[in-house]
Amino acid sequence: AWNYLGCIPEQRLQTGIITYSSGNHGQAVAFAAGKKGVTAVIVMPETAPPWKVAGVRRWGGEVVFAGVTSAAREAKAREMAAELGLEVIPPYNHADIIAGQGTVGLEIVQQLGEVQHVAVPVGGGGLIAGVTVAVSALKPAADIVGVEPDGAPSLRDALRAGQVVTLAEAHSVADGLLPLAIGDIPLKHVLGKVSSVTVSDDAIKSAARWFLESHGIVVEPSGAATIAALRSRALQLSGPTALVVSGGNVDPAVIRSYPR
């Protein structure tokens, strides 16, 4: 989000910006906008967790609710952008967003130079696209795996078809991984370079609770997907491995309520 804003001429930001997000990208946009003195509108699903809504507002973002799917949020955001003259900040399907998220892959290689495997949670695909670009350039032998909920396998289906596939529905406790389709731009970056696995909601919940109790770190279900894949043996890897654990936007009490 910060990288995207930095690539936009200042005059285009004067009337404000808008994005559509289940919560994490929305908080990032609200934060970046606040630092730049720009107003930000965040279109969120009607089912957004209160913790994430509060997070967006805490960073100064104005929250608008629209539907329950990523398509509904995007339609509302683009409608408001046209009406109010706002700049749209996409959550994943743009080169500047992917480049910003690619710094995660850059840091993995810098901090774990011997890395052989990288696992990344997948929603719209911006994060895994950025990580793939960076890691494959610096460590071409490294294996990159996308992890999705069983109920939202948009990357898996796209990899099988060789093109974007729109799911009929998406459901999971991992609310940040529920776009009905991976973005076409992210798919171009990962096609032929990554594999995918899916994990159950039970495995995700158990992983999030285990991580909190074992390491004292609060991670939301969407971020815990990679841990779940390793613990459930959906991923069976040997050698230096990096799991991207992205997102702590959840009430710790919710995580503690999950079964072990």
Side-chain angles (χ1 to χ4, degrees), residues 17-150:
I17 61 178
I18 189 167
T19 193
Y20 44 100
S21 166
S22 62
N24 290 350
H25 176 72
Q27 290 186 63
V29 169
F31 169 83
K35 290 295 184 182
K36 289 182 174 290
V38 177
T39 58
V41 178
I42 316 300
V43 182
M44 302 183 70
E46 296 168 359
T47 52
W51 194 269
K52 290 190 175 183
V53 175
V56 169
R57 289 174 172 156
R58 185 170 61 250
W59 291 117
E62 175 190 344
V63 176
V64 173
F65 296 103
V68 297
T69 67
S70 55
R73 296 193 291 278
E74 180 177 1
K76 181 64 175 179
R78 295 197 179 279
E79 174 189 325
M80 292 184 65
E83 178 183 340
L84 302 174
L86 305 175
E87 181 78 18
V88 177
I89 312 297
Y92 51 82
N93 203 31
H94 193 282
D96 292 334
I97 293 290
I98 292 169
Q101 294 180 331
T103 59
V104 174
L106 177 63
E107 290 180 18
I108 287 171
V109 175
Q110 288 175 336
Q111 297 175 25
L112 187 65
E114 68 274 26
V115 66
Q116 294 177 13
H117 308 280
V118 181
V120 187
V122 179
L127 180 59
I128 192 170
V131 169
T132 298
V133 170
V135 174
S136 62
L138 299 171
K139 293 285 293 186
D143 167 53
I144 303 168
V145 184
V147 182
E148 302 175 287
D150 287 343

Side-chain angles (χ1 to χ4, degrees), residues 65-254:
F65 296 103
V68 297
T69 67
S70 55
R73 296 193 291 278
E74 180 177 1
K76 181 64 175 179
R78 295 197 179 279
E79 174 189 325
M80 292 184 65
E83 178 183 340
L84 302 174
L86 305 175
E87 181 78 18
V88 177
I89 312 297
Y92 51 82
N93 203 31
H94 193 282
D96 292 334
I97 293 290
I98 292 169
Q101 294 180 331
T103 59
V104 174
L106 177 63
E107 290 180 18
I108 287 171
V109 175
Q110 288 175 336
Q111 297 175 25
L112 187 65
E114 68 274 26
V115 66
Q116 294 177 13
H117 308 280
V118 181
V120 187
V122 179
L127 180 59
I128 192 170
V131 169
T132 298
V133 170
V135 174
S136 62
L138 299 171
K139 293 285 293 186
D143 167 53
I144 303 168
V145 184
V147 182
E148 302 175 287
D150 287 343
S154 61
L155 173 63
R156 183 200 67 188
D157 289 3
L159 293 178
R160 289 176 177 177
Q163 62 184 18
V164 173
V165 174
T166 301
L167 304 174
E169 60 180 1
H171 52 85
S172 173
V173 67
D175 63 283
L177 306 182
L178 297 182
L180 294 175
I182 189 172
D184 62 312
I185 298 175
L187 183 60
K188 291 176 183 177
H189 288 296
V190 304
L191 203 57
K193 296 181 179 179
V194 307
S195 58
S196 73
V197 298
T198 65
V199 290
S200 70
D201 275 7
D202 286 346
I204 290 172
K205 290 178 180 180
S206 175
R209 180 163 180 173
W210 171 80
F211 205 54
L212 176 60
E213 293 180 343
S214 299
H215 298 278
I217 298 174
V218 176
V219 56
E220 66 184 86
S222 301
T226 52
I227 304 170
L230 204 61
R231 294 184 79 235
S232 68
R233 300 187 67 78
L235 277 178
Q236 299 185 46
L237 307 172
S238 61
T241 299
L243 306 182
V244 177
V245 179
S246 55
N249 297 305
V250 64
D251 185 343
V254 171

